[in-house]
Amino acid sequence: MELDEIRHAISDTDQQLLGLLAKRRQLALAVADAKLAQNKPIRDQKREQELLVSLISQGKPLGLDAQYVTRLYHVIIEDSVLQQQAKIQGQLNGTDSPAVRVAFLGGQGSYSYWATQKYFTRRAERIIEQGCDSFNEIVQAVETGHADYAVLPIENTSSGSINEVYDLLQHTRLSIVGELTHPIAHCLLGLPGTDLSKIRQVCAHPQVIAQCSQYLQGLSQVKIEYCDSSSDAFTRIKQQQDPTVVAIGGEEGGQLYGLQVLTRDLANQKDNVSRFIVVARKPVTVAKAIPAKTTFIMYTGQQPGALVDALLVLKQHGISMAKLESRPINGNPWEEMFYVDVFANLSDYAMTRALEELNKITKFIKVLGCYPSEDIEPTQVTAG
């Protein structure tokens, strides 16, 4: 076969694969309905493990190694679980809608833009995008009814917590209704033909600069220009048309602005992932079949052992903590508000009792939201 014929055959095969993947996704959604009717949890890791073992066995005579099959089906299984969760949550809360208005940081191409696409593609036919210049503007868009949801980055594996977002959560009336994690791959991007040795200015969001600090320290005589978002940085490069000015952001986003990758993998940590939360005006109910997280804030006071006593309440009720974050209380020097993420459904008896007890021993407590957990840990297969 000639090269063009081989490529044509590959394209035909890819088309068939896409059709089969779409069919499998529809079957997975049908499974969600069946599980809900039988009151079974969405995730069945024993079934997943049996499936992977069977697929690995079937793949061997076809020349497909175990690692290849496992990696491929981890992605497919994760998609199935998230699709099922989104469908059940939409039915339970009446949030299925042909179109949603979503506020996020920056414009097309920003990391928040891609996170928004990733989350809401499973939940709506059309996303009406509302790019904003600040976190405060994002929250206000939802509070005033100009947007239905907001997508906010809250922490990153390289730069840690995003304090401004935590502070906004303390005072907003909005509820956390969802979460997602999104891999962040920072690249140095510039105009086509840019010479790395002649760079004089780097444009990026402050969080991006913090995540790439080690790389930036190696650039001598280069000015750092802070931007509102990655898309803002891309826009500046495109408008200025100056080959000595570059941006840091995602490759896919940079391509929307005609920029080319100069250097990849700039983050301080190899596995650079951001966690985003989704907030709305009304809280949601999480189906029992879906693993849930609950986020609340509390002020324990400054008496010795107050925080320990509060955490012991969670332990006594068998509630696992996912995160504990402290933030200063504005106007109260040296006093802190604690933000707590736990693996629990707000409707669970244990969680209800724990909150009742915490309410008695803390000076202030407020639930920020209960929402589906999207921590989909890959099912491992024992080597045999």
Side-chain angles (χ1 to χ4, degrees):
M1 293 177 68
E2 297 293 330
L3 178 59
D4 287 345
E5 291 179 301
I6 297 171
R7 285 175 172 169
H8 184 73
I10 289 174
S11 295
D12 287 344
T13 303
D14 288 339
Q15 188 65 38
Q16 293 174 43
L17 285 172
L18 288 173
L20 291 171
L21 287 170
K23 181 180 179 180
R24 192 190 192 285
R25 178 182 272 189
Q26 290 303 312
L27 291 170
L29 291 174
V31 166
D33 291 331
K35 286 180 177 177
L36 197 59
Q38 298 174 30
N39 199 28
K40 289 185 176 182
I42 289 297
R43 194 89 192 267
D44 184 349
Q45 290 192 278
K46 182 181 178 182
R47 156 66 180 161
E48 290 174 13
Q49 190 171 57
E50 292 171 350
L51 174 66
L52 288 170
V53 169
S54 175
L55 290 167
I56 290 169
S57 177
Q58 293 175 56
K60 282 181 181 178
L62 299 174
L64 303 176
D65 63 86
Q67 185 181 17
Y68 176 78
V69 172
T70 302
R71 285 175 59 195
L72 178 63
Y73 272 87
H74 276 163
V75 174
I76 292 173
I77 289 170
E78 179 185 32
D79 176 76
S80 294
V81 172
L82 293 176
Q83 289 286 342
Q84 290 175 26
Q85 289 189 179
K87 180 178 182 180
I88 289 175
Q89 280 298 105
Q91 291 175 344
L92 178 63
N93 292 281
T95 53
D96 287 328
S97 175
V100 291
R101 301 170 299 165
V102 187
F104 56 89
L105 186 67
Q108 286 195 347
S110 70
Y111 289 117
S112 292
Y113 166 82
W114 296 117
T116 297
Q117 299 297 315
K118 181 178 181 178
Y119 185 84
F120 283 99
T121 296
R122 290 191 289 269
R123 292 166 171 85
E125 296 176 12
R126 180 175 169 232
I127 303 169
I128 302 171
E129 304 153 3
Q130 297 188 20
C132 301
D133 294 331
S134 69
F135 296 134
N136 189 55
E137 183 183 339
I138 295 169
V139 169
Q140 286 185 354
V142 182
E143 286 182 336
T144 57
H146 291 94
D148 302 312
Y149 299 93
V151 173
L152 294 162
I154 196 163
E155 59 181 314
N156 175 267
T157 53
S158 292
S159 57
S161 300
I162 301 176
N163 294 332
E164 186 180 350
V165 174
Y166 273 102
D167 292 341
L168 283 170
L169 289 175
Q170 183 177 334
H171 302 289
T172 183
R173 302 185 303 275
L174 305 180
S175 296
I176 303 174
V177 298
E179 69 164 0
L180 74 154
T181 56
H182 187 65
I184 306 295
H186 294 309
C187 301
L188 197 67
L189 299 126
L191 299 171
T194 295
D195 186 342
L196 271 173
S197 65
K198 295 181 180 178
I199 292 172
R200 293 294 174 264
Q201 182 174 303
V202 176
C203 300
H205 186 269
Q207 284 293 324
V208 173
I209 290 169
Q211 293 165 28
C212 303
S213 59
Q214 294 174 11
Y215 173 80
L216 291 171
Q217 286 173 4
L219 298 180
S220 59
Q221 298 181 338
V222 172
K223 179 185 176 184
I224 305 299
E225 183 72 21
Y226 292 95
C227 300
D228 292 333
S229 64
S230 295
S231 58
D232 178 31
F234 299 152
T235 300
R236 294 190 191 194
I237 307 306
K238 182 178 179 179
Q239 291 178 344
Q240 292 179 24
Q241 289 294 304
D242 183 348
T244 69
V245 182
V246 296
I248 298 179
E251 179 176 2
E252 195 173 9
Q255 289 175 347
L256 296 177
Y257 296 80
L259 306 183
Q260 69 174 25
V261 174
L262 307 174
T263 309
R264 288 184 170 83
D265 302 323
L266 307 187
N268 297 340
Q269 289 188 203
K270 182 179 179 182
D271 295 320
N272 189 36
V273 179
S274 283
R275 177 180 173 233
F276 293 80
I277 55 172
V278 182
V279 298
R281 287 185 295 280
K282 293 182 179 180
V284 295
T285 300
V286 181
K288 293 287 187 179
I290 297 174
K293 278 185 182 177
T294 296
T295 297
F296 62 92
I297 56 175
M298 63 182 179
Y299 170 48
T300 60
Q302 293 183 300
Q303 61 271 28
L307 176 60
V308 173
D309 290 342
L311 298 181
L312 280 174
V313 170
L314 298 177
K315 181 181 179 181
Q316 289 163 2
H317 288 280
I319 297 171
S320 299
M321 187 168 60
K323 185 177 178 64
L324 176 66
E325 183 79 20
S326 65
R327 290 294 300 148
I329 299 175
N330 189 26
N332 293 51
W334 314 116
E335 297 188 15
E336 294 180 319
M337 187 74 72
F338 293 99
Y339 292 74
V340 188
D341 291 345
V342 295
F343 293 106
N345 195 314
L346 193 58
S347 63
D348 290 343
Y349 178 75
M351 190 68 216
T352 301
R353 292 288 298 137
L355 288 173
E356 288 174 354
E357 292 179 28
L358 286 171
N359 193 50
K360 294 176 183 177
I361 65 172
T362 59
K363 295 183 179 298
F364 172 80
I365 190 165
K366 175 187 174 184
V367 174
L368 298 179
C370 178
Y371 47 95
S373 171
E374 296 213 359
D375 295 329
I376 311 298
E377 290 293 329
T379 296
Q380 301 303 317
V381 178
T382 305

